C-alpha cells in the first residue's frame, strides 16, 4: 500500500500545480524515486505534479549536500525537498514554495509567523503570507535574481514544426521561453517540445510558450521537465516575465501579470534585480493510510 509507513500526507496546490506534502521534520523517511512516482500517479496513486517533503534544514543538510547553499539553516528552519512527479529531483519550484509556506504556517511549524525563509536546493526563498481562509493564502516570494546564462549559444524551440528562438533563463532550474502568437501554437504538449541544439540542456529543461495578452500581461503554457504539461509553473512564469520585461525594455518596478491554465500570477522586478512573485496557495485534503485489519 502506497501510504504504508508514511505520516498523514496533505494535498495542496498553487494555481493548480498540485503537490503531495510529506511531513518529515526529523528526516526519518527515505522516499525513493519509485515511491514518489507512485504517489504522484493520477490513477494508481494520489496524483500530483510533484512532492514536497518538509524536513528541518539542519537535518537535511546533514543528509544531503546542496553546493553553494550549505549555510541555509540559519535563515530557514525548514527545507523544501522537492521532487518531480517522475521521481526526479529539481532545484526549485515556485508554486511549491508558496504551498510549502502555507503548510508550515497552517500546521504550526512556524507558529503564527507570516514572513520567513524556506530553504531549497536553489537557496533560501523569503515568503510573505496573507491568509485568505483557514487553509489558503496569497503568498509573495522573493524568487531571487533571474540569470540569463549566455553559455548555451542560440537555443531554439520548435513551434508548429518550425524552430523559433528561445530565451534561456535560469531560476535555479532551467527554462527555455519561446514567444508565440497564441498559446494554442504550443499544440498538445503530450510529448517534450523539440529543443535545439540537441543536448544543449544535459539535465533537461522546462519549456514555456508565452503569448502577449495586453501590455505587460502574458499567457503561458508549460511543459515541465520530469512532469509533462502542467497547469502552472511558478519558476516558468518568472522566466516568462523576465524574458518579456527584457524584450520590452521595462524599467525595474514595472508590474507584470502572467496567466497560466490554473490561474494568475503577479510579478515585479525590484530595483536590486530580485523578482517578486505573488500568487495563491491552498491545502485541499489530508490522506491517512486505511486500516488494514
Ligand atoms: N512547477 C514548478 C517547477 C518544478 C520543477 C521543474 N519541473 C524542474 O524540473 O525544474 C514551479 O512552480 O516552479
Amino acid at each position: 500500500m502506497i501510504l504504508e509507513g508514511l505520516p498523514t500526507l496533505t494535498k495542496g496546490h498553487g494555481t493548480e500545480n498540485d503537490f503531495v506534502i510529506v511531513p518529515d521534520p526529523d528526516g526519518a523517511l527515505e522516499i525513493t524515486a519509485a515511491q514518489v512516482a507512485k504517489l504522484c500517479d493520477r490513477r494508481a496513486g494520489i496524483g500530483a505534479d510533484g512532492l514536497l517533503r518538509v524536513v528541518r534544514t539542519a537535518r537535511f543538510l546533514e543528509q544531503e549536500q546542496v553546493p553553494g547553499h550549505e549555510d541555509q539553516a540559519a535563515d530557514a528552519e525548514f527545507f523544501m525537498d522537492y521532487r518531480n512527479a517522475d521521481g526526479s529531483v529539481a532545484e526549485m519550484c515556485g508554486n511549491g514554495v508558496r504551498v510549502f509556506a502555507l503548510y508550515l504556517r497552517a500546521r504550526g511549524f512556524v507558529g503564527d509567523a507570516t514572513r520567513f525563509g524556506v530553504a531549497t536546493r536553489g537557496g533560501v526563498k523569503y515568503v510573505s503570507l496573507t491568509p485568505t481562509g483557514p487553509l489558503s493564502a496569497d503568498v509573495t516570494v522573493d524568487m531571487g535574481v533571474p540569470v540569463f546564462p549566455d553559455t548555451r549559444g542560440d537555443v531554439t524551440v520548435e513551434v508548429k514544426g518550425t524552430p523559433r528562438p528561445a530565451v534561456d533563463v535560469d531560476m535555479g532550474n532551467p527554462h527555455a521561453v519561446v514567444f508565440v502568437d497564441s498559446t494554442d501554437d504550443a499544440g498538445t504538449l503530450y510529448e517534450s517540445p523539440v529543443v535545439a541544439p540537441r543536448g544543449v540542456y544535459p539535465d533537461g529543461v522546462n519549456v514555456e510558450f508565452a503569448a502577449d495578452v495586453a501590455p505587460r500581461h502574458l499567457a503561458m503554457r508549460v511543459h515541465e521537465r520530469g512532469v509533462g504539461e502542467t497547469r502552472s509553473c511558478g519558476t516558468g512564469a518568472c522566466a516568462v516575465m523576465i524574458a518579456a520585461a527584457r524584450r520590452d525594455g521595462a524599467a525595474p518596478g514595472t508590474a507584470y501579470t502572467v496567466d497560466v491554465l490554473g490561474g494568475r500570477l503577479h510579478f515585479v522586478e525590484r530595483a536590486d534585480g530580485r523578482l517578486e512573485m505573488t500568487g495563491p496557495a491552498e491545502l485541499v485534503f489530508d490522506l491517512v493510510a486505511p486500516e488494514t485489519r
Side-chain angles (χ1 to χ4, degrees):
M1 191 193 310
I2 57 170
L3 294 179
E4 205 170 311
L6 292 177
T8 298
L9 309 185
T10 299
K11 182 79 189 285
H13 78 98
T15 51
E16 299 181 359
N17 195 192
D18 58 345
F19 309 98
V20 170
I21 306 161
V22 183
D24 181 25
D26 299 323
L29 299 173
E30 220 173 282
I31 306 176
T32 64
Q35 263 179 302
V36 173
K38 187 90 199 246
L39 287 164
C40 292
D41 189 305
R42 294 196 185 276
R43 292 183 180 78
I46 297 161
D49 295 326
L51 178 143
L52 312 173
R53 185 170 68 107
V54 181
V55 54
R56 279 205 176 75
T57 308
R59 185 77 186 112
F60 183 86
L61 294 174
E62 280 167 21
Q63 296 172 337
E64 195 178 304
Q65 299 204 332
V66 183
H69 300 292
E70 295 86 354
D71 54 356
Q72 300 188 79
D75 295 321
E77 187 179 355
F78 289 95
F79 190 97
M80 179 180 80
D81 176 16
Y82 172 81
R83 321 281 182 89
N84 283 319
D86 70 353
S88 59
V89 167
E91 303 85 343
M92 240 308 276
C93 177
N95 290 321
V97 169
R98 298 198 315 277
V99 173
F100 189 92
L102 171 63
Y103 180 87
L104 291 183
R105 163 76 199 237
R107 294 297 145 91
F109 284 101
V110 290
D112 59 4
T114 53
R115 289 168 178 268
F116 49 89
V118 172
T120 76
R121 292 184 178 83
V124 174
K125 305 297 166 192
Y126 293 93
V127 300
S128 169
L129 273 85
T130 306
T132 51
L135 294 175
S136 61
D138 284 332
V139 185
T140 297
V141 186
D142 174 352
M143 295 291 285
V145 180
V147 174
F148 294 88
D150 205 19
T151 50
R152 292 194 171 94
D154 293 334
V155 174
T156 61
V157 170
E158 237 174 62
V159 180
K160 295 203 279 191
T162 305
R164 296 267 288 271
V167 186
D168 182 24
V169 183
D170 194 305
M171 288 304 309
N173 56 351
H175 295 270
V177 177
V178 60
F179 290 104
V180 289
D181 294 333
S182 155
T183 53
D184 292 344
D185 294 351
T188 60
L189 291 183
Y190 296 149
E191 306 285 335
S192 299
V194 178
V195 178
R198 220 187 143 107
V200 66
Y201 293 97
D203 300 322
V205 66
N206 303 287
V207 180
E208 288 81 26
F209 296 84
D212 289 293
V213 172
R216 298 170 296 287
H217 183 175
L218 295 101
M220 67 170 246
R221 282 175 58 203
V222 59
H223 188 280
E224 282 195 44
R225 176 178 70 166
V227 193
E229 180 170 23
T230 60
R231 296 192 54 83
S232 178
C233 176
T235 50
C238 289
V240 165
M241 180 273 173
I242 202 69
R246 289 294 178 277
R247 176 201 64 181
D248 300 345
T254 308
Y256 273 76
T257 302
V258 178
D259 290 344
V260 291
L261 294 177
R264 181 166 282 183
L265 294 165
H266 300 278
F267 296 90
V268 179
E269 184 189 7
R270 296 187 337 205
D272 60 4
R274 302 180 77 82
L275 209 58
E276 278 186 355
M277 171 184 69
T278 302
E282 190 179 5
L283 305 179
V284 284
F285 59 85
D286 287 335
L287 295 119
V288 257
E291 294 278 345
T292 47
R293 275 179 288 118

